[in-house]
Amino acid sequence: MKKRRYLRWIFSVLVILVIAVSVLLVYVRQFLPDVSLKEVTVEVTPERVERGRYLANHVMVCMDCHSTRDWTKFAGPLVPGTEGKGGERFDQTVGMPGVFISPNITPFHLKDWSDAELYRVITSGVGKDNKPVFPVMPYQNYGKMDDEDIYSVIAYLRTLPEKESKIPEPQVDFPMNFILHLIPAEGQPAPVPPKSDVVNYGKYMVNAAACMDCHTPFEKGQLLTDQAFTGGREFVTPGGVLVSPNITPDKQSGIGNWTKDMFISRFKSFDPKVNEPHEVSEGAFNTIMPWTMYAGMDSTDLEAIYAYLVTLQPVEKQIVKFISKN
């Protein structure tokens, strides 16, 4: 008799736990994320459009993911005419917890989005209808930027030519389909430091370009921020595994022996107006670094980025840049 009562008690507790967990999961899926819309109305001015064009193409490189890249050429330059059309696929083959396809960010898709909704998705990762966005888009970084820069990007997107494309909804694997609802948070915007404050201005630009995201080891869905900028993040590519380099000022394995001019020249050497990206044979080394886009960054901004990077703690960490499948 006591054993039966004990078993009934265990069963009752299990039922209660199942109900509680079910209610919690329903709450997470239905009511989170909880990021309210900010009152935002963006006036589209020539100055904002030009600033937004610069940021979206050469710093934040929004067009990097929201266009088609030609992976038969070095660094995957954009295919002309696809800017903003979306369609880049991020799935399990490259370590993603599901299938995520970059959306169309031309007015074809965004015409029904308010400025407030665009601001929220860029800075907080919450899209239309309160849907969370997977942080392959570094909205945590964009949420730390000056509001005026975000407004400029919005103004620029409004001026893009409409490009028709039908992008499927993300297919998120379990348990990320629940975890994803817990990630977005309201942005914490900060003003752009004056360019005369070179190091802090460089820090701002490094955040805007999300340099740390690629140049930091990544394990179990998390950046190992205690090893920030030391490289070692792996990216699976058709030809093999690409490993990001160390960009701390270590003299043996980082950029400690680079001068400012060397740093700037490295970026400018990939300007497609000067050097057409070379063809890359199947299985050969290529890079996801959008060099052709960053090549358009202003030299003053590159100088500031260098000035910030050389203030970091040098960390010796040798990196094998590419592990070929062949």
Side-chain angles (χ1 to χ4, degrees), residues 88-91 96-102 134 170-172 180:
E88 277 288 287
R89 183 184 177 96
F90 303 87
D91 59 22
M96 294 292 167
V99 179
F100 306 90
I101 300 178
S102 63
F134 187 73
Q171 301 297 315
V172 192
L180 189 57

Side-chain angles (χ1 to χ4, degrees), residues 32-33 125-128 130-134 139 170 177 180-182 184:
L32 295 180
V126 181
K128 206 170 180 66
N130 216 47
K131 292 181 179 178
V133 173
F134 187 73
Y139 59 78
N177 56 335
L180 189 57
H181 289 257
L182 304 174

Side-chain angles (χ1 to χ4, degrees), residues 229-231 244-258 314-319:
F229 302 103
T230 65
S244 63
N246 180 350
I247 57 172
T248 73
D250 178 67
K251 291 184 179 295
Q252 302 302 318
S253 59
I255 63 169
N257 288 322
W258 291 40
V315 178
E316 183 174 359
K317 183 178 181 181
Q318 297 293 340
I319 300 291

Side-chain angles (χ1 to χ4, degrees), residues 2 159 168 208 288:
K2 286 184 178 180
T159 68
I288 63 169

Side-chain angles (χ1 to χ4, degrees), residues 9-25:
W9 180 81
I10 292 291
F11 179 75
S12 298
V13 170
L14 289 174
V15 169
I16 291 170
L17 284 174
V18 168
I19 293 173
V21 170
S22 298
V23 170
L24 178 61
L25 293 179

